[in-house]
Amino acid sequence: MNKVSVLAAGVSAVVLGAVAFAAPVKKAETKAPPPIATYWMDVSTTSGFGAGMMGGGRPNMSQVMAMMNGGGGSVAHSLELRLSSREKPTGAPQAQHFIPAGLDMGASLPLVTPEMLRTPETRESSEPTTYEKPKGRMLIYWGCGEHAAAGEPQVIDFAKMSEGEMPENLRALTKMAQMMGRMSAREPTADNSPGFGEWPNQRDSRAVPAAGSLIGAHRVEANYAPPIDFSLSQGQDFMPGLGLHEAGTMPSGADNLMWQQAAQATGYALAMFGQGRGGDIVIWTSAKSASLAPAFDYLSPGEVKRLVASGAVLPPSTSQCTLPAEVASAVPQGMVMGIGYGPEAYFSDSPRAPKWGVRVRYKSTAMLMRGMSGMMGDESGRASEQPQAQPQPQKRRGGLLGGILSSIPH
Protein backbone atom coordinates (compact mmCIF):
# COMPACT_ATOMS: atom_id res chain seq x y z
CA MET A 1 0.00 0.00 0.00
CA ASN A 2 1.50 3.40 -0.95
CA LYS A 3 1.44 6.51 1.19
CA VAL A 4 -1.65 7.97 -0.51
CA SER A 5 -3.61 4.86 0.38
CA VAL A 6 -2.30 4.95 3.95
CA LEU A 7 -3.39 8.55 4.40
CA ALA A 8 -6.76 7.88 2.77
CA ALA A 9 -7.26 4.95 5.11
CA GLY A 10 -6.49 7.23 8.05
CA VAL A 11 -9.25 9.59 6.97
CA SER A 12 -11.70 6.79 6.22
CA ALA A 13 -11.20 5.25 9.66
CA VAL A 14 -13.12 8.22 11.05
CA VAL A 15 -16.30 6.67 9.66
CA LEU A 16 -16.10 3.80 12.10
CA GLY A 17 -18.87 4.23 14.60
CA ALA A 18 -19.51 1.66 17.42
CA VAL A 19 -20.69 1.68 21.03
CA ALA A 20 -20.41 -1.00 23.69
CA PHE A 21 -23.35 -2.48 25.62
CA ALA A 22 -23.21 -1.73 29.31
CA ALA A 23 -25.89 -1.54 31.99
CA PRO A 24 -26.14 1.83 33.76
CA VAL A 25 -24.56 1.86 37.21
CA LYS A 26 -25.39 4.29 39.98
CA LYS A 27 -22.36 5.75 41.72
CA ALA A 28 -23.75 5.06 45.17
CA GLU A 29 -24.29 1.38 44.47
CA THR A 30 -21.88 -1.52 44.19
CA LYS A 31 -21.07 -2.23 40.60
CA ALA A 32 -23.08 -5.19 39.34
CA PRO A 33 -21.32 -7.93 37.40
CA PRO A 34 -21.64 -7.72 33.61
CA PRO A 35 -24.27 -9.88 31.91
CA ILE A 36 -23.31 -13.46 31.17
CA ALA A 37 -24.40 -12.95 27.58
CA THR A 38 -24.88 -9.97 25.29
CA TYR A 39 -26.66 -10.11 21.95
CA TRP A 40 -26.24 -7.58 19.15
CA MET A 41 -28.63 -7.17 16.23
CA ASP A 42 -27.52 -4.77 13.50
CA VAL A 43 -30.46 -3.97 11.24
CA SER A 44 -29.60 -2.21 7.98
CA THR A 45 -31.47 -0.83 4.98
CA THR A 46 -29.63 0.07 1.77
CA SER A 47 -31.14 1.97 -1.15
CA GLY A 48 -29.98 3.26 -4.51
CA PHE A 49 -26.86 2.08 -6.30
CA GLY A 50 -25.51 -0.20 -3.56
CA ALA A 51 -28.79 -2.03 -3.07
CA GLY A 52 -29.44 -2.44 -6.77
CA MET A 53 -26.11 -4.09 -7.42
CA MET A 54 -26.62 -6.49 -4.50
CA GLY A 55 -30.20 -7.37 -5.26
CA GLY A 56 -29.50 -10.47 -7.32
CA GLY A 57 -30.15 -11.03 -11.01
CA ARG A 58 -28.53 -9.09 -13.81
CA PRO A 59 -29.92 -5.56 -14.31
CA ASN A 60 -29.98 -4.08 -17.80
CA MET A 61 -28.20 -0.85 -18.67
CA SER A 62 -31.31 1.26 -18.11
CA GLN A 63 -31.74 -0.16 -14.60
CA VAL A 64 -28.04 0.33 -13.81
CA MET A 65 -28.19 3.98 -14.84
CA ALA A 66 -31.31 4.52 -12.74
CA MET A 67 -29.70 2.88 -9.72
CA MET A 68 -26.62 5.09 -10.07
CA ASN A 69 -28.94 8.08 -9.67
CA GLY A 70 -30.50 6.59 -6.54
CA GLY A 71 -33.54 5.23 -8.33
CA GLY A 72 -34.60 1.98 -9.89
CA GLY A 73 -36.80 0.82 -7.02
CA SER A 74 -33.84 -0.70 -5.20
CA VAL A 75 -34.16 -1.19 -1.44
CA ALA A 76 -32.36 -4.04 0.33
CA HIS A 77 -32.37 -5.27 3.93
CA SER A 78 -29.63 -7.03 5.85
CA LEU A 79 -28.96 -8.35 9.35
CA GLU A 80 -25.83 -8.99 11.35
CA LEU A 81 -26.27 -11.05 14.53
CA ARG A 82 -23.64 -11.65 17.23
CA LEU A 83 -24.01 -13.59 20.47
CA SER A 84 -21.24 -13.17 23.04
CA SER A 85 -21.00 -15.06 26.34
CA ARG A 86 -18.60 -15.16 29.27
CA GLU A 87 -19.23 -18.91 29.48
CA LYS A 88 -17.67 -21.58 27.30
CA PRO A 89 -19.94 -24.01 25.45
CA THR A 90 -20.63 -27.45 26.87
CA GLY A 91 -19.30 -29.56 24.04
CA ALA A 92 -19.46 -28.30 20.48
CA PRO A 93 -20.91 -24.74 20.37
CA GLN A 94 -24.54 -24.60 19.33
CA ALA A 95 -26.81 -21.55 19.09
CA GLN A 96 -30.00 -20.60 17.27
CA HIS A 97 -31.98 -17.40 16.88
CA PHE A 98 -35.66 -18.32 16.59
CA ILE A 99 -37.29 -15.64 14.45
CA PRO A 100 -40.83 -14.36 13.74
CA ALA A 101 -42.69 -16.04 10.89
CA GLY A 102 -42.97 -12.64 9.19
CA LEU A 103 -39.25 -12.64 8.41
CA ASP A 104 -39.94 -15.52 6.02
CA MET A 105 -36.63 -17.26 6.67
CA GLY A 106 -37.81 -20.42 8.37
CA ALA A 107 -37.95 -21.14 12.08
CA SER A 108 -34.46 -19.98 13.04
CA LEU A 109 -31.08 -18.67 11.99
CA PRO A 110 -27.98 -20.61 13.10
CA LEU A 111 -25.41 -18.64 15.09
CA VAL A 112 -22.14 -20.29 14.13
CA THR A 113 -18.84 -20.00 15.98
CA PRO A 114 -16.21 -19.08 13.37
CA GLU A 115 -13.21 -21.31 13.04
CA MET A 116 -10.13 -19.69 14.53
CA LEU A 117 -7.42 -19.69 11.89
CA ARG A 118 -3.85 -19.46 13.13
CA THR A 119 -1.68 -17.35 10.87
CA PRO A 120 1.80 -18.77 10.25
CA GLU A 121 4.62 -17.00 12.04
CA THR A 122 6.78 -14.85 9.84
CA ARG A 123 10.30 -13.62 10.50
CA GLU A 124 10.93 -9.93 10.36
CA SER A 125 12.98 -8.97 7.35
CA SER A 126 16.22 -7.12 7.93
CA GLU A 127 16.02 -5.55 4.49
CA PRO A 128 15.25 -1.82 4.47
CA THR A 129 11.68 -0.95 3.48
CA THR A 130 11.37 1.10 0.31
CA TYR A 131 9.16 4.16 0.71
CA GLU A 132 7.93 6.12 -2.27
CA LYS A 133 7.03 9.74 -1.69
CA PRO A 134 3.36 10.22 -2.64
CA LYS A 135 2.14 12.57 -5.33
CA GLY A 136 -1.09 14.43 -5.92
CA ARG A 137 -3.42 16.33 -3.60
CA MET A 138 -6.43 15.76 -1.39
CA LEU A 139 -9.07 18.52 -1.43
CA ILE A 140 -11.49 18.59 1.52
CA TYR A 141 -14.80 20.51 1.33
CA TRP A 142 -17.67 20.66 3.79
CA GLY A 143 -21.13 22.06 4.45
CA CYS A 144 -24.47 22.36 2.67
CA GLY A 145 -24.90 25.53 0.61
CA GLU A 146 -24.79 27.00 -2.88
CA HIS A 147 -21.13 27.98 -2.53
CA ALA A 148 -18.15 26.73 -0.56
CA ALA A 149 -17.34 28.76 2.54
CA ALA A 150 -14.21 30.84 3.04
CA GLY A 151 -11.18 28.64 3.64
CA GLU A 152 -12.40 25.82 1.43
CA PRO A 153 -11.00 23.57 0.29
CA GLN A 154 -8.40 22.39 2.71
CA VAL A 155 -5.57 21.18 0.51
CA ILE A 156 -3.19 18.39 1.43
CA ASP A 157 -0.36 18.34 -1.10
CA PHE A 158 1.38 15.03 -0.61
CA ALA A 159 4.32 15.98 -2.80
CA LYS A 160 5.15 18.96 -0.54
CA MET A 161 5.07 16.99 2.67
CA SER A 162 8.38 16.36 4.40
CA GLU A 163 9.33 12.80 5.25
CA GLY A 164 7.20 11.63 8.19
CA GLU A 165 5.21 14.89 8.29
CA MET A 166 1.45 14.80 8.83
CA PRO A 167 -0.69 17.93 8.25
CA GLU A 168 -2.69 19.18 11.24
CA ASN A 169 -6.05 18.47 9.57
CA LEU A 170 -5.07 14.84 9.00
CA ARG A 171 -3.51 14.62 12.46
CA ALA A 172 -6.82 15.52 14.14
CA LEU A 173 -8.78 13.04 12.03
CA THR A 174 -6.26 10.28 12.74
CA LYS A 175 -6.50 10.91 16.50
CA MET A 176 -10.28 10.62 16.27
CA ALA A 177 -9.95 7.44 14.21
CA GLN A 178 -7.71 5.88 16.85
CA MET A 179 -10.26 6.68 19.54
CA MET A 180 -13.14 5.24 17.53
CA GLY A 181 -11.06 2.16 16.76
CA ARG A 182 -10.62 1.48 20.47
CA MET A 183 -14.38 1.78 21.00
CA SER A 184 -15.02 -0.57 18.09
CA ALA A 185 -12.69 -3.17 19.60
CA ARG A 186 -15.08 -3.49 22.56
CA GLU A 187 -17.82 -4.94 20.36
CA PRO A 188 -18.29 -8.67 20.86
CA THR A 189 -16.04 -10.81 18.69
CA ALA A 190 -14.90 -14.41 18.69
CA ASP A 191 -11.52 -13.22 19.96
CA ASN A 192 -12.85 -11.57 23.11
CA SER A 193 -15.70 -14.00 23.92
CA PRO A 194 -15.35 -17.51 25.48
CA GLY A 195 -18.66 -18.32 23.79
CA PHE A 196 -19.52 -16.70 20.46
CA GLY A 197 -21.86 -17.20 17.49
CA GLU A 198 -22.71 -15.06 14.47
CA TRP A 199 -24.97 -14.81 11.46
CA PRO A 200 -24.48 -14.66 8.48
CA ASN A 201 -21.81 -17.33 8.47
CA GLN A 202 -20.22 -20.05 6.36
CA ARG A 203 -23.19 -22.33 6.99
CA ASP A 204 -25.99 -19.88 6.27
CA SER A 205 -25.63 -16.58 4.40
CA ARG A 206 -29.07 -16.32 2.83
CA ALA A 207 -30.42 -12.98 1.73
CA VAL A 208 -33.10 -11.34 3.86
CA PRO A 209 -36.37 -11.61 1.88
CA ALA A 210 -37.71 -8.49 0.22
CA ALA A 211 -40.80 -8.17 2.41
CA GLY A 212 -39.44 -9.83 5.54
CA SER A 213 -40.37 -8.26 8.89
CA LEU A 214 -38.67 -8.38 12.29
CA ILE A 215 -41.83 -7.56 14.24
CA GLY A 216 -42.75 -10.30 16.71
CA ALA A 217 -41.18 -12.59 19.28
CA HIS A 218 -37.47 -13.48 19.18
CA ARG A 219 -35.69 -16.19 21.15
CA VAL A 220 -32.00 -17.07 21.31
CA GLU A 221 -30.86 -20.42 22.68
CA ALA A 222 -27.26 -21.62 23.06
CA ASN A 223 -25.28 -24.15 25.07
CA TYR A 224 -23.01 -21.36 26.27
CA ALA A 225 -25.54 -18.64 27.21
CA PRO A 226 -28.79 -18.33 29.19
CA PRO A 227 -32.04 -18.29 27.13
CA ILE A 228 -32.81 -14.84 25.69
CA ASP A 229 -36.39 -13.73 24.93
CA PHE A 230 -37.52 -10.35 23.58
CA SER A 231 -40.05 -8.91 21.12
CA LEU A 232 -39.84 -6.17 18.51
CA SER A 233 -42.93 -4.03 17.92
CA GLN A 234 -44.06 -1.32 15.50
CA GLY A 235 -41.28 1.18 14.89
CA GLN A 236 -38.62 -1.47 15.49
CA ASP A 237 -38.67 -3.02 12.03
CA PHE A 238 -36.31 -2.25 9.11
CA MET A 239 -36.02 1.46 8.38
CA PRO A 240 -37.35 2.65 5.01
CA GLY A 241 -35.05 3.45 2.11
CA LEU A 242 -33.80 7.03 1.87
CA GLY A 243 -34.28 7.37 -1.87
CA LEU A 244 -31.34 9.78 -2.10
CA HIS A 245 -31.47 11.57 -5.46
CA GLU A 246 -30.50 14.70 -7.37
CA ALA A 247 -33.33 17.22 -7.39
CA GLY A 248 -31.96 19.69 -9.90
CA THR A 249 -28.94 21.86 -10.64
CA MET A 250 -28.94 25.56 -9.76
CA PRO A 251 -27.73 28.21 -12.26
CA SER A 252 -24.51 28.48 -10.23
CA GLY A 253 -23.83 24.80 -10.77
CA ALA A 254 -24.71 23.78 -7.20
CA ASP A 255 -26.55 20.45 -6.99
CA ASN A 256 -29.64 19.92 -4.83
CA LEU A 257 -29.62 16.53 -3.10
CA MET A 258 -32.84 15.28 -1.54
CA TRP A 259 -34.03 12.19 0.34
CA GLN A 260 -37.14 10.79 1.95
CA GLN A 261 -37.32 11.29 5.69
CA ALA A 262 -37.55 8.20 7.88
CA ALA A 263 -39.75 8.43 10.95
CA GLN A 264 -37.18 6.54 13.06
CA ALA A 265 -34.18 8.61 11.95
CA THR A 266 -32.30 10.58 14.60
CA GLY A 267 -30.18 12.52 12.08
CA TYR A 268 -28.61 12.40 8.62
CA ALA A 269 -25.20 12.85 7.02
CA LEU A 270 -23.90 12.97 3.46
CA ALA A 271 -20.48 12.58 1.89
CA MET A 272 -19.08 12.58 -1.64
CA PHE A 273 -15.85 11.09 -2.96
CA GLY A 274 -14.29 11.25 -6.36
CA GLN A 275 -11.31 12.06 -8.50
CA GLY A 276 -11.08 15.62 -9.69
CA ARG A 277 -9.26 17.24 -12.52
CA GLY A 278 -5.55 16.57 -12.46
CA GLY A 279 -5.99 13.47 -10.34
CA ASP A 280 -6.91 15.26 -7.10
CA ILE A 281 -8.79 13.22 -4.50
CA VAL A 282 -11.86 15.25 -3.55
CA ILE A 283 -13.82 14.67 -0.35
CA TRP A 284 -16.95 16.55 0.76
CA THR A 285 -19.22 16.05 3.76
CA SER A 286 -22.39 17.74 4.93
CA ALA A 287 -20.75 18.63 8.27
CA LYS A 288 -20.24 22.28 9.20
CA SER A 289 -16.46 21.99 9.28
CA ALA A 290 -13.69 19.70 8.08
CA SER A 291 -12.90 18.63 11.65
CA LEU A 292 -16.45 17.29 12.14
CA ALA A 293 -16.28 14.43 9.63
CA PRO A 294 -19.35 12.27 10.38
CA ALA A 295 -19.21 8.55 11.11
CA PHE A 296 -21.08 6.53 8.48
CA ASP A 297 -22.04 3.63 10.70
CA TYR A 298 -24.31 2.77 13.61
CA LEU A 299 -24.39 5.53 16.23
CA SER A 300 -26.43 5.71 19.42
CA PRO A 301 -29.25 8.28 19.53
CA GLY A 302 -27.45 10.10 22.33
CA GLU A 303 -24.28 10.40 20.25
CA VAL A 304 -26.24 11.55 17.19
CA LYS A 305 -27.98 14.22 19.29
CA ARG A 306 -24.58 15.52 20.37
CA LEU A 307 -23.32 15.49 16.77
CA VAL A 308 -26.40 17.37 15.55
CA ALA A 309 -25.71 20.06 18.16
CA SER A 310 -22.07 20.30 17.04
CA GLY A 311 -22.96 20.53 13.34
CA ALA A 312 -21.39 17.20 12.36
CA VAL A 313 -24.81 15.64 11.60
CA LEU A 314 -27.93 17.14 10.00
CA PRO A 315 -31.10 17.29 12.15
CA PRO A 316 -33.81 14.60 11.68
CA SER A 317 -36.13 17.26 10.22
CA THR A 318 -33.78 17.72 7.24
CA SER A 319 -34.60 16.25 3.83
CA GLN A 320 -32.26 18.14 1.49
CA CYS A 321 -28.73 19.48 1.22
CA THR A 322 -27.15 21.59 -1.50
CA LEU A 323 -23.80 20.41 -2.81
CA PRO A 324 -21.71 23.59 -3.32
CA ALA A 325 -21.05 24.64 -6.89
CA GLU A 326 -17.29 24.46 -6.38
CA VAL A 327 -17.53 20.81 -5.31
CA ALA A 328 -19.89 19.90 -8.14
CA SER A 329 -17.48 21.49 -10.61
CA ALA A 330 -14.43 19.77 -9.11
CA VAL A 331 -16.06 16.31 -9.33
CA PRO A 332 -18.78 16.23 -12.02
CA GLN A 333 -19.54 12.55 -11.36
CA GLY A 334 -18.57 11.77 -7.77
CA MET A 335 -20.10 9.03 -5.63
CA VAL A 336 -22.51 10.38 -2.99
CA MET A 337 -23.36 8.47 0.17
CA GLY A 338 -26.07 9.22 2.67
CA ILE A 339 -27.02 7.77 6.02
CA GLY A 340 -30.04 8.04 8.25
CA TYR A 341 -29.01 7.14 11.79
CA GLY A 342 -31.63 5.01 13.45
CA PRO A 343 -32.85 4.30 16.97
CA GLU A 344 -31.64 1.61 19.33
CA ALA A 345 -33.65 -0.90 21.35
CA TYR A 346 -32.46 -2.49 24.59
CA PHE A 347 -33.71 -5.57 26.41
CA SER A 348 -32.59 -7.53 29.47
CA ASP A 349 -34.00 -10.12 31.85
CA SER A 350 -33.58 -7.83 34.87
CA PRO A 351 -32.82 -4.13 35.50
CA ARG A 352 -30.26 -5.15 38.14
CA ALA A 353 -27.54 -7.72 37.63
CA PRO A 354 -29.05 -9.06 34.38
CA LYS A 355 -27.97 -12.43 33.04
CA TRP A 356 -28.33 -11.23 29.47
CA GLY A 357 -28.71 -8.02 27.51
CA VAL A 358 -29.77 -7.27 23.93
CA ARG A 359 -28.92 -4.23 21.80
CA VAL A 360 -30.68 -3.68 18.46
CA ARG A 361 -29.20 -0.98 16.20
CA TYR A 362 -30.69 0.52 13.04
CA LYS A 363 -29.48 2.53 10.06
CA SER A 364 -30.54 3.35 6.51
CA THR A 365 -27.90 4.14 3.90
CA ALA A 366 -28.02 5.20 0.25
CA MET A 367 -25.64 5.68 -2.66
CA LEU A 368 -25.89 7.49 -5.97
CA MET A 369 -23.53 8.58 -8.73
CA ARG A 370 -23.80 12.30 -9.44
CA GLY A 371 -24.20 13.45 -13.00
CA MET A 372 -26.59 10.69 -14.09
CA SER A 373 -29.73 12.79 -13.63
CA GLY A 374 -31.52 13.36 -16.93
CA MET A 375 -29.57 10.69 -18.81
CA MET A 376 -32.33 8.12 -18.29
CA GLY A 377 -35.37 10.39 -18.28
CA ASP A 378 -38.13 9.35 -15.87
CA GLU A 379 -36.34 6.14 -14.90
CA SER A 380 -33.70 8.04 -12.93
CA GLY A 381 -36.07 9.09 -10.16
CA ARG A 382 -35.93 8.34 -6.49
CA ALA A 383 -35.88 4.82 -5.07
CA SER A 384 -39.29 3.36 -4.40
CA GLU A 385 -40.25 1.05 -1.57
CA GLN A 386 -39.71 -2.19 -3.46
CA PRO A 387 -37.10 -4.03 -1.38
CA GLN A 388 -34.65 -6.36 -3.07
CA ALA A 389 -33.17 -9.47 -1.47
CA GLN A 390 -29.61 -8.67 -0.44
CA PRO A 391 -26.77 -11.17 -0.02
CA GLN A 392 -25.45 -10.86 3.50
CA PRO A 393 -22.08 -9.16 4.03
CA GLN A 394 -19.60 -11.46 5.69
CA LYS A 395 -18.03 -8.66 7.70
CA ARG A 396 -19.12 -5.06 8.14
CA ARG A 397 -16.07 -3.97 10.10
CA GLY A 398 -14.10 -1.10 8.64
CA GLY A 399 -17.03 0.94 7.42
CA LEU A 400 -18.43 1.46 3.96
CA LEU A 401 -16.63 4.76 3.49
CA GLY A 402 -13.33 3.07 4.20
CA GLY A 403 -13.77 0.78 1.25
CA ILE A 404 -14.74 3.61 -1.10
CA LEU A 405 -11.89 5.88 0.00
CA SER A 406 -9.28 3.17 -0.33
CA SER A 407 -10.46 2.37 -3.86
CA ILE A 408 -10.26 5.94 -5.21
CA PRO A 409 -7.80 6.02 -8.12
CA HIS A 410 -4.63 8.04 -7.57
Side-chain angles (χ1 to χ4, degrees), residues 4 11 135-142 151-158 169-170 173 272-285 290 326-327 329-331 405 408:
V4 175
V11 176
K135 300 178 181 179
R137 304 185 305 170
M138 179 182 293
L139 310 182
I140 303 175
Y141 294 86
W142 58 89
E152 295 187 54
Q154 285 191 3
V155 180
I156 300 173
D157 193 332
F158 300 123
N169 43 15
L170 268 185
L173 295 180
M272 189 188 74
F273 307 89
Q275 185 170 7
R277 297 176 177 85
D280 292 334
I281 298 172
V282 180
I283 301 174
W284 167 85
T285 75
E326 292 78 5
V327 182
S329 175
V331 186
L405 266 178
I408 294 176

Side-chain angles (χ1 to χ4, degrees), residues 30-366:
T30 303
K31 185 176 181 181
I36 296 174
T38 57
Y39 192 55
W40 292 59
M41 286 184 63
D42 287 348
V43 182
S44 176
T45 299
T46 305
S47 58
F49 183 60
M53 298 308 291
M54 292 184 286
R58 189 171 184 177
N60 58 37
M61 183 56 65
S62 175
Q63 292 171 321
V64 169
M65 297 295 286
M67 288 186 293
M68 294 179 77
N69 191 46
S74 304
V75 177
H77 297 152
S78 65
L79 290 172
E80 187 173 354
L81 312 175
R82 284 163 289 157
L83 174 63
S84 171
S85 175
R86 293 191 288 114
E87 296 183 348
K88 294 182 179 180
T90 55
Q94 297 179 7
Q96 297 279 336
H97 180 157
F98 294 89
I99 54 180
L103 192 55
D104 196 24
M105 298 186 72
S108 66
L109 300 175
L111 304 174
V112 176
T113 301
E115 295 182 4
M116 304 302 291
L117 300 179
R118 181 177 298 177
T119 56
E121 295 183 1
T122 56
R123 297 181 179 179
E124 294 185 2
S125 174
S126 58
E127 297 181 3
T129 302
T130 58
Y131 203 76
E132 181 181 354
K133 191 172 183 179
K135 300 178 181 179
R137 304 185 305 170
M138 179 182 293
L139 310 182
I140 303 175
Y141 294 86
W142 58 89
C144 300
E146 186 173 358
H147 291 286
E152 295 187 54
Q154 285 191 3
V155 180
I156 300 173
D157 193 332
F158 300 123
K160 293 181 180 180
M161 291 169 54
S162 301
E163 188 70 25
E165 177 187 2
M166 179 179 290
E168 284 299 321
N169 43 15
L170 268 185
R171 194 187 311 278
L173 295 180
T174 302
K175 184 176 180 181
M176 184 186 302
Q178 292 172 345
M179 179 191 71
M180 298 304 290
R182 287 196 297 269
M183 294 176 66
S184 178
R186 294 164 59 191
E187 291 189 10
T189 66
D191 294 329
N192 61 25
S193 307
F196 184 83
E198 64 182 2
W199 189 93
N201 48 63
Q202 65 271 23
R203 188 193 309 173
D204 184 355
S205 58
R206 290 172 292 158
V208 174
S213 172
L214 295 171
I215 295 177
H218 295 252
R219 186 171 84 258
V220 179
E221 295 184 357
N223 63 352
Y224 52 85
I228 298 174
D229 289 279
F230 62 99
S231 294
L232 297 179
S233 57
Q234 295 293 333
Q236 295 176 327
D237 207 347
F238 293 99
M239 293 179 67
L242 296 181
L244 179 65
H245 64 285
E246 294 180 272
T249 302
M250 302 176 69
S252 61
D255 193 4
N256 288 315
L257 303 173
M258 297 189 68
W259 59 91
Q260 300 167 14
Q261 291 181 339
Q264 308 101 309
T266 57
Y268 301 95
L270 300 177
M272 189 188 74
F273 307 89
Q275 185 170 7
R277 297 176 177 85
D280 292 334
I281 298 172
V282 180
I283 301 174
W284 167 85
T285 75
S286 57
K288 288 186 177 180
S289 75
S291 62
L292 296 174
F296 277 69
D297 208 341
Y298 297 97
L299 290 180
S300 68
E303 178 65 9
V304 174
K305 184 177 181 180
R306 185 188 69 81
L307 293 174
V308 169
S310 71
V313 169
L314 301 172
S317 59
T318 311
S319 61
Q320 62 179 359
C321 172
T322 301
L323 183 75
E326 292 78 5
V327 182
S329 175
V331 186
Q333 294 185 339
M335 178 67 74
V336 181
M337 292 182 55
I339 184 170
Y341 302 102
E344 290 189 354
Y346 308 91
F347 306 93
S348 68
D349 61 310
S350 172
R352 295 187 178 184
K355 293 181 180 179
W356 56 263
V358 175
R359 177 187 292 268
V360 188
R361 308 188 294 182
Y362 300 83
K363 70 176 180 179
S364 183
T365 61

